[in-house]
Amino acid sequence: MNTQVERVSKWCYQGVWGVLTSWFRVPDQPPTLPSENEELEAFQPSEGFLKYLKFKFWILLAIFDVAIFVGWLVITILNPVIGMILAPLAFLIAVVPDIIAYLAIHLRYDTTWYVMSDRSLRIRRGIWIIHGTTITYENIQNVTIKQGPLQRWFNIADLRIETAGGGQSEQGAMSSHCGLIEGVDNAKSIREMLMNRVGQSQSAGLGDDDEQLTELWTKKHIETLEEIRDLLAVRLAQ
Amino acid sequence: MNSSSGNSAGFDPRSITRPEPVLLTYYVWMSILAGPLFPFAFLPLFFKYKTLEYRFDETGISMKWGILFRKEINLTYRRIQDIHLTRNIIQRWMGLATVAIQTASGSSGPEMSIEGILESEELRDHLYSQMRGARGETVPDELNEKPTQQTDRALELLGEIRDLLKSSTPGEPKP
């Protein structure tokens, strides 16, 4: 019985997914980065993130449905006729948004992708509005890890990768000067890797020209020095 | 170096000067969503579409639009901080996207939003390849290797010169 329910729900989910990819043009492939023979690592939030979202969902659902039930109960006690008429409506309001929300959690999880290469990372998320962010490690200014008590319980954390430039947009997560990697269980190792890269970089990550920064001795300097040595050698040999 | 930008073969952003006509259709749809405010939403967008011009060159991008109040934005590829590609559902149906480019300025919104390009993914990847840190030039080992090599060579030469001077004893120059 249980497996049948699972199979049906899986089939329904596949159907929704199919509609999204074919009619609403939601890409079903993970994003890629243009790269020259470097390995790409594409990953999704960890399993814990799905559990975390579902846990929050169940709590909200309980509050929401209890509120509806209490409201309906009050009306029924005051006026049983109206209560009876409202019963199916209340039931619909209590159930339909839950199913949609539950579906949305799964879809949100399945459409969130992170791709990291040697030089840059790309984040893609969203269903109605698909949002892709590309940041090169060279431009990273700081990396923030955030973990709430509930997230700690599920062993996940959010990673915020910020580039230069201010201005927090009110959307927060979709803020423009940052990339959000949420719900990963290896936030620390990603942080290590990123901060290593930032530390090795010799620029401020503001679009500086490398030539001016790195070339202390150019070929011309060397050639001139060689000339001096040769001249000196000739002069001294005389 | 430039071969690395060839990931989008056949795509040349320099040929882009005007947005695709389908952008106007998109603007119509977006204005319809504004409901009774349709004319107020549509007119600015219409004029924006009519006057919008892009120019992609070797070092940067510039875009300008406007009839009464004209606006022109210029930026160089090197100063790009991050690139955002956003597609809402209407844009996806029309094959459009918004490529938002951020520099390190203080505004929270993107500095430049490129709309009405059908090859938005290619454009994004082209911009990415022009961006700092996208290519080998700043990879640490290369970064450290080249200058130190030069510096070592310079030190070597300076040492040789010193030895030459030292070997010729001061006071009694050779005849």
Side-chain angles (χ1 to χ4, degrees):
Chain A
M1 188 66 204
N2 209 8
T3 53
Q4 209 161 16
V5 169
E6 248 171 49
R7 205 137 39 94
V8 167
S9 63
K10 200 169 186 183
W11 184 79
C12 282
Y13 186 69
Q14 289 298 326
V16 170
W17 191 235
V19 167
L20 280 179
T21 51
S22 56
W23 292 4
F24 296 103
R25 308 251 172 103
V26 175
D28 53 351
Q29 297 294 317
T32 56
L33 268 167
S35 67
E36 316 138 38
N37 57 52
E38 42 193 272
E39 64 223 64
L40 291 177
E41 194 199 348
F43 58 98
Q44 289 192 291
S46 79
E47 294 275 306
F49 184 58
L50 197 57
K51 286 182 196 148
Y52 164 74
L53 288 179
K54 279 186 184 171
F55 186 79
K56 282 212 304 197
F57 162 78
W58 285 117
I59 287 180
L60 280 176
L61 173 115
I63 295 168
F64 182 68
D65 282 1
V66 162
I68 286 174
F69 181 71
V70 167
W72 175 76
L73 211 63
V74 169
I75 290 171
T76 314
I77 290 164
L78 292 178
N79 191 332
V81 180
I82 293 180
M84 280 300 115
I85 294 167
L86 282 180
L89 195 69
F91 184 73
L92 271 184
I93 293 174
V95 171
V96 171
D98 300 343
I99 295 173
I100 293 172
Y102 193 79
L103 204 64
I105 286 175
H106 270 277
L107 289 175
R108 176 181 170 188
Y109 180 81
D110 281 346
T111 51
T112 305
W113 279 101
Y114 312 117
V115 185
M116 300 179 98
S117 80
D118 283 355
R119 302 181 203 290
S120 51
L121 64 100
R122 181 166 285 174
I123 299 165
R124 191 181 72 194
R125 64 159 57 86
I127 305 163
W128 300 119
I129 298 176
I130 296 174
H131 199 99
T133 306
T134 311
I135 298 173
T136 55
Y137 298 154
E138 197 69 30
N139 286 340
I140 293 175
Q141 296 295 327
N142 56 63
V143 179
T144 318
I145 296 182
K146 265 191 187 171
Q147 192 182 41
L150 203 56
Q151 287 169 315
R152 187 150 50 243
W153 173 260
F154 287 106
N155 197 20
I156 54 171
D158 292 350
L159 215 84
R160 254 176 97 91
I161 296 155
E162 282 173 68
T163 62
Q168 195 80 275
S169 74
E170 57 278 8
Q171 293 143 313
M174 294 294 175
S175 163
S176 40
H177 283 289
C178 86
L180 182 69
I181 298 185
E182 56 181 354
V184 285
D185 51 9
N186 57 344
K188 287 223 167 101
S189 62
I190 295 176
R191 192 254 337 251
E192 281 304 310
M193 196 276 283
L194 291 177
M195 287 321 283
N196 255 337
R197 293 298 307 249
V198 176
Q200 278 170 354
S201 165
Q202 298 195 352
S203 73
L206 296 169
D208 333 58
D209 275 324
D210 318 302
E211 291 76 23
Q212 290 166 8
L213 271 170
T214 55
E215 299 268 315
L216 257 87
W217 293 89
T218 62
K219 267 221 167 88
K220 257 199 173 138
H221 288 97
I222 304 287
E223 274 165 22
T224 316
L225 275 175
E226 270 169 353
E227 270 173 40
I228 292 173
R229 180 200 57 191
D230 294 345
L231 276 173
L232 203 61
V234 170
R235 199 57 65 82
L236 290 172
Q238 280 169 3
Chain B
M1 273 290 174
N2 278 328
S3 64
S4 59
S5 60
N7 48 51
S8 42
F11 172 71
D12 185 14
R14 271 169 295 178
S15 62
I16 298 172
T17 52
R18 289 274 300 141
E20 297 286 335
V22 70
L23 182 66
L24 190 61
T25 324
Y26 169 67
Y27 280 164
V28 170
W29 278 103
M30 290 310 280
S31 309
I32 286 172
L33 292 182
L37 297 174
F38 177 81
F40 300 101
F42 181 62
L43 271 181
L45 289 177
F46 176 73
F47 286 122
K48 183 178 179 186
Y49 168 75
K50 278 291 172 195
T51 52
L52 189 57
E53 268 174 47
Y54 296 115
R55 192 165 49 83
F56 293 82
D57 56 29
E58 303 299 323
T59 53
I61 322 163
S62 87
M63 70 186 281
K64 59 178 175 188
W65 72 92
I67 286 198
L68 292 176
F69 297 93
R70 298 196 181 156
K71 194 171 176 185
E72 185 173 338
I73 309 172
N74 297 282
L75 58 85
T76 54
Y77 297 129
R78 306 288 291 166
R79 300 283 163 116
I80 295 175
Q81 283 285 319
D82 36 287
I83 308 170
H84 302 257
L85 185 86
T86 317
R87 282 170 296 171
N88 64 30
I89 188 156
I90 300 175
Q91 286 176 315
R92 289 207 295 278
W93 273 326
M94 297 177 173
L96 291 170
T98 306
V99 181
I101 300 167
Q102 302 247 309
T103 61
S105 79
S107 62
S108 64
E111 273 67 56
M112 184 186 267
S113 297
I114 300 174
E115 285 179 305
I117 309 290
L118 290 179
E119 300 99 339
S120 53
E121 301 239 345
E122 286 88 344
L123 177 66
R124 185 219 1 216
D125 289 344
H126 171 76
L127 293 175
Y128 165 76
S129 68
Q130 300 288 324
M131 211 170 142
R132 242 182 76 76
R135 284 175 305 188
E137 58 209 323
T138 48
V139 156
D141 46 287
E142 279 178 50
L143 190 96
N144 289 332
E145 213 170 283
K146 229 170 72 187
T148 40
Q149 264 181 358
Q150 305 270 50
T151 317
D152 287 351
R153 182 81 186 112
L155 189 66
E156 216 173 275
L157 282 168
L158 282 169
E160 276 176 40
I161 293 168
R162 181 200 56 200
D163 293 344
L164 275 171
L165 281 170
K166 219 188 249 175
S167 66
S168 71
T169 37
E172 39 173 307
K174 285 183 182 176

